[in-house]
Amino acid sequence: MCAAGRQNRGRAMYISLVTETFDPDINGVATTLKQIHSALLSSGHRVQLVCPKGDKARELDDLLEVPGLALPFYTDVRLGLPVGRRLKRRWQTERPDLVHIATEGPLGYAALRTAKALGLPVTSSLHTNFHTYMAFYRVGWLAAPVMRYLKWFHNHTACTFIPTGQQAEALSLSGFDRLAVLGRGVDTALFNPERRDAALRAQWSQHSGLAAGDEPKVALHVGRLAPEKNLDLLLQTFNAMRAARPDMIGVVVGDGPERARLEKALPWVIFTGMKREEQLARHYASADMFIFPSQTETFGNVLLEAMACGLICVSFDYAAGNYLIHDGRNGYLAPLGDDAHFVKAAVDLARAEGPDMRQIGSRAREAAAAFDWARITRSFERHLNDVLQSEAGDAAQRRAHKHKLDALTNQDKTGV
């Protein structure tokens, strides 16, 4: 494991943050990095962002955009090209204290090689379980090579940040070294039950053909509509909930290659497409339940956002679900891989009524409120300072060892 992090936050740092995805991209990695980037700047650090050039302009003072290509199975994310020479020129001109690499694509690989060649300290984050995605895109044979590459990549950095202790245990058993659990945060001012919107709920009711004044339950799902998100189970669960409660409304926020298939299979469900910021928070807060069937997340920021809005969530017992939910107290968990248990929990929730349900939603909000970005970023800063201090200590030891060898060599030459 990485050093635990000292209370002293240390001096201001110049950090080069290298990533294949950043705001305005819509995904958990971009959201996480945006928050950390902003918090580091607010703390007085200098942060250079290195990322592929996107379709929309990024208004940042310290930005190095590089050419990129869209990922074949995830076109919303662009892979940065391996621009090692350009990075070398920039970092030789303005040498950062530390390079933090958030993604392991060609850009991340070039950054790792370049930083190592220049003797720069390097840390990394593991945000996406790419090795688990392979089977969903009919290239399952790539899972083992991808896992070997991820292990090689991260073990060549001084510290790898991951979101949960559960993941740390699994990765350690797979041979990953120097792991630090960082967690995730949520903007509780943005994602808040007070954003519940009666007009939006009335619009959903009208769309579903319900009479004015009805107060149906609304089940929500938010996320990328892609094969790796276990959407067949979402389809099965929504239909089972609808059978148990015919006046239930289903809402899906997000887009992706599976959207057309889901719309055809779930004609009674409202598909809104992508939503951002206040609109997204309003959709969360205006629902009652959150259904999260994914089994490939490193964390699952959407679960934290839903809980912050007071929703009762159904999730598998891993990643964010394992980290945040106490089964029956502030949400519901199913054992990982137990689809029948997951569906039953969702159906029981659809049928449930009364003050107990409101208390579960309130406790979900309370649990999420503890995960503020300021705390996450302070932990990140402490770990980076530990890496810098450790690297400085190692460098001092190397210099002392060299001086000792030089002295011995000079004694041999002079015969003293």
Side-chain angles (χ1 to χ4, degrees):
M1 296 290 176
C2 295
R6 301 173 180 83
Q7 292 304 311
N8 179 17
R9 292 172 64 185
R11 63 181 176 82
M13 294 174 279
Y14 173 25
I15 303 161
S16 185
L17 173 60
V18 182
T19 175
E20 248 92 8
T21 182
F22 195 78
D23 185 68
D25 298 347
I26 302 177
N27 58 68
V29 181
T31 298
T32 298
L33 294 178
K34 176 186 177 184
Q35 293 290 345
I36 290 176
H37 178 271
S38 177
L40 287 172
L41 291 177
S42 296
S43 294
H45 303 291
R46 178 182 173 187
V47 185
Q48 174 196 57
L49 179 68
V50 181
C51 64
K53 185 176 179 61
D55 296 331
K56 297 179 181 178
R58 295 184 173 98
E59 302 296 333
L60 296 172
D61 292 334
D62 204 341
L63 173 65
L64 175 59
E65 288 189 311
V66 304
L69 297 172
L71 216 93
F73 57 85
Y74 200 158
T75 54
D76 294 337
V77 173
R78 299 178 67 81
L79 288 177
L81 297 184
V83 289
R85 291 181 180 177
R86 186 172 176 186
L87 291 176
K88 184 177 181 180
R89 289 195 300 269
R90 178 62 68 91
W91 290 343
Q92 283 179 323
T93 302
E94 291 186 277
R95 186 180 178 89
D97 294 313
L98 180 142
V99 175
H100 179 73
I101 305 173
T103 54
E104 308 91 343
L107 175 59
Y109 175 80
L112 177 62
R113 292 287 299 269
T114 305
K116 288 287 188 179
L118 294 175
L120 294 168
V122 187
T123 58
S124 62
S125 296
L126 202 162
H127 287 279
T128 306
N129 289 325
F130 279 119
H131 59 289
T132 66
Y133 286 16
M134 300 299 106
F136 297 99
Y137 294 92
R138 300 179 182 179
V139 286
W141 57 272
L142 281 175
V146 168
M147 186 61 166
R148 285 196 296 271
Y149 169 71
L150 292 175
K151 183 166 63 175
W152 173 88
F153 185 98
H154 290 287
N155 284 352
H156 276 78
T157 70
C159 183
T160 298
F161 296 96
I162 52 174
T164 69
Q166 185 185 48
Q167 188 186 28
E169 183 178 352
L171 290 175
S172 293
L173 291 173
S174 296
F176 285 73
D177 301 325
R178 298 179 299 281
L179 303 173
V181 177
L182 187 63
R184 293 290 184 269
V186 65
D187 183 346
T188 53
L190 175 62
F191 296 102
N192 193 303
E194 293 180 3
R195 292 189 182 272
R196 193 173 180 89
D197 188 334
L200 181 59
R201 287 180 62 88
Q203 178 184 325
W204 289 341
S205 294
Q206 184 179 13
H207 184 278
S208 301
L210 300 178
D214 284 348
E215 188 58 26
K217 278 196 171 183
V218 178
L220 176 71
H221 174 76
V222 176
R224 175 171 157 77
L225 304 182
E228 71 273 10
K229 299 299 185 180
N230 202 18
L231 297 175
D232 284 341
L233 182 57
L234 177 68
L235 192 160
Q236 179 186 350
T237 303
F238 265 16
N239 278 333
M241 295 172 76
R242 175 78 162 187
R245 183 154 187 152
D247 66 339
M248 190 195 85
I249 296 173
V251 178
V252 172
V253 176
D255 213 335
E258 291 287 280
R259 177 174 175 176
R261 181 176 74 88
L262 288 174
E263 284 185 310
K264 185 176 180 180
L266 296 169
W268 57 276
V269 170
I270 300 166
F271 287 79
T272 71
M274 293 282 195
K275 299 293 178 185
R276 295 176 62 94
E277 303 293 338
E278 289 83 1
Q279 280 196 338
L280 175 59
R282 190 164 60 99
H283 278 67
Y284 275 121
S286 300
D288 304 295
M289 306 167 282
F290 187 74
I291 309 302
F292 188 56
S294 177
Q295 298 181 82
T296 58
E297 307 297 319
T298 54
F299 189 75
N301 291 23
V302 291
L303 193 67
L304 187 52
E305 292 167 353
M307 292 177 68
C309 290
L311 300 193
I312 306 174
C313 301
V314 180
S315 169
F316 283 109
D317 186 10
Y318 96 112
N322 174 268
Y323 197 54
L324 299 167
I325 295 177
H326 296 278
D327 188 37
R329 176 170 174 78
N330 64 355
Y332 294 95
L333 293 173
L336 187 62
D338 191 340
D339 290 2
H341 191 126
F342 185 95
V343 173
K344 184 179 185 304
V347 168
D348 290 345
L349 178 57
R351 289 177 173 145
E353 297 285 1
D356 288 349
M357 294 297 101
R358 289 192 291 274
Q359 289 177 8
I360 290 174
S362 295
R363 287 193 288 263
R365 165 68 184 181
E366 290 171 5
F371 293 87
D372 65 289
W373 278 113
R375 180 179 64 84
I376 301 296
T377 306
R378 284 195 298 271
S379 176
F380 186 62
E381 288 176 285
R382 287 194 295 269
H383 280 294
L384 296 190
N385 271 302
D386 281 350
V387 168
L388 289 177
Q389 290 177 28
S390 176
E391 293 276 342
D394 290 346
Q397 286 183 352
R398 288 193 296 271
R399 287 194 298 270
H401 184 64
K402 184 178 184 301
H403 289 156
K404 185 176 180 180
L405 289 176
D406 289 344
L408 290 172
T409 300
N410 289 333
Q411 286 179 6
D412 290 340
K413 288 179 179 179
T414 61
V416 177

